[in-house]
Amino acid sequence: MGNELDKLIDEVAEMIVNSKNVVVFTGAGLSTESSLSDFKGQKGGWTRASMMRMIDLVQPDPAHYAIAELEKLGKLDCVITQNVDGLHQKAGVPEEKVIELHGSLKWMKCLGCGKRYPTEEVANRIEQGVKEPVCDDCGGTLKSSTISFGEPMPVNEIKEAERRSRGCDLMIVVGSSLAVFPAAWMPVYAKEAGAKLVIINISDTPIDRHADIRISESAGKVMSKVLERVKSKLAT
Ligand code: ZN
């Protein structure tokens, strides 16, 4: 534990050990490390139906696994994520503990009534020759549940994320430059409610000045070390 970074990592681990409700907020900095960035900029259309097959090829990175481990240690209230890749769940975080602010590639949604369909199911229909799959209930058009730039974020998820943010005693932002609002307000809500705030992101964020600890490093490298320290602290 000689250098500056190791000292900060140890402090983050200490905060986790001493907290009851940890909320982790994640963004594109995690996906890029898993090289999902290739998907970005793809627009609508039925090419999305093949995306879930591509998604099967993408694997969680060390940061996803470290966060999932925190959950197993009983240290995680929930993950609030801007990512649509489902990698937190794939790494082992239970579905009900992941709040997806930008939707999920795993789900498609009826534009008419809002009913959700697994992307896999819709993809299967297309494979069986259905040209434009529609909603069983209302005949409405099915669309990816992910939010494109400029679209409003899902109201329920935003509300729940805000509630959890205000209820936590430690928020750790991992791999988000906090550039998209209202998602980026979550750490501010946490801070307002008296929580400690840790920001782990390579580039600057607009709320760096609110952070109790600020680490400019890649998510995978830092989170694995944080987890190691947490485990050894809990063991002693
Ligand atoms: Zn419908």
Side-chain angles (χ1 to χ4, degrees):
M1 290 288 129
N3 68 40
E4 180 85 357
L5 177 62
D6 285 341
K7 195 168 152 267
L8 290 175
I9 284 170
D10 191 66
E11 282 175 33
V12 175
E14 190 69 29
M15 278 183 183
I16 292 173
V17 169
N18 292 325
S19 298
K20 288 196 177 72
N21 277 317
V22 182
V23 169
V24 175
F25 182 104
T26 67
L30 262 75
S31 293
T32 354
E33 286 179 25
S34 307
S35 67
L36 191 73
S37 52
D38 300 349
F39 286 4
K40 279 194 191 138
Q42 279 204 10
K43 277 204 181 148
W46 294 112
T47 52
R48 282 198 186 272
S50 63
M51 287 173 84
M52 51 101 11
R53 292 201 161 69
M54 290 168 76
I55 254 202
D56 279 343
L57 305 174
V58 182
Q59 294 303 321
D61 74 14
H64 292 101
Y65 287 115
I67 293 164
E69 283 282 310
L70 286 180
E71 199 279 325
K72 290 190 187 81
L73 293 170
K75 279 292 168 190
L76 185 75
D77 180 57
C78 70
V79 179
I80 300 171
T81 187
Q82 298 174 291
N83 299 332
V84 296
D85 50 32
L87 289 180
H88 287 297
Q89 295 92 322
K90 207 168 186 176
V93 180
E95 187 74 48
E96 68 274 15
K97 287 200 169 188
V98 183
I99 302 173
E100 294 168 314
L101 296 180
H102 294 186
S104 167
L105 290 173
K106 286 189 303 182
W107 294 95
M108 297 190 79
K109 212 167 130 183
C110 169
L111 288 180
C113 69
K115 187 175 175 182
R116 295 205 309 169
Y117 294 84
T119 304
E120 187 171 9
E121 189 198 308
V122 179
N124 289 342
R125 285 203 228 171
I126 289 166
E127 228 166 55
Q128 287 156 15
V130 178
K131 283 221 171 65
E132 192 157 330
V134 292
C135 176
D136 295 334
D137 288 357
C138 75
T141 305
L142 301 184
K143 181 191 167 292
S144 166
S145 73
T146 57
I147 308 298
S148 305
F149 187 76
E151 283 183 310
M153 287 178 202
V155 176
N156 291 343
E157 277 80 358
I158 285 288
K159 269 191 193 157
E160 183 63 7
E162 183 177 338
R163 194 178 70 81
R164 301 290 191 101
S165 299
R166 291 192 189 279
C168 72
D169 56 359
L170 172 62
M171 177 170 286
I172 308 175
V173 175
V174 186
S176 172
S177 48
L178 298 172
V180 184
F181 292 89
W185 288 119
M186 301 307 157
V188 178
Y189 295 146
K191 198 64 197 168
E192 273 175 3
K196 291 262 195 313
L197 176 62
V198 174
I199 300 178
I200 301 163
N201 192 55
I202 291 191
S203 60
D204 291 347
T205 87
I207 62 161
D208 280 350
R209 67 183 183 283
H210 296 295
D212 296 280
I213 296 181
R214 175 71 183 92
I215 299 177
S216 298
E217 279 286 345
S218 88
K221 183 178 161 190
V222 174
M223 286 309 288
S224 309
K225 285 188 181 174
V226 166
L227 177 72
E228 247 172 62
R229 295 298 302 147
V230 168
K231 278 183 166 169
S232 79
K233 282 172 192 290
L234 287 175
T236 54

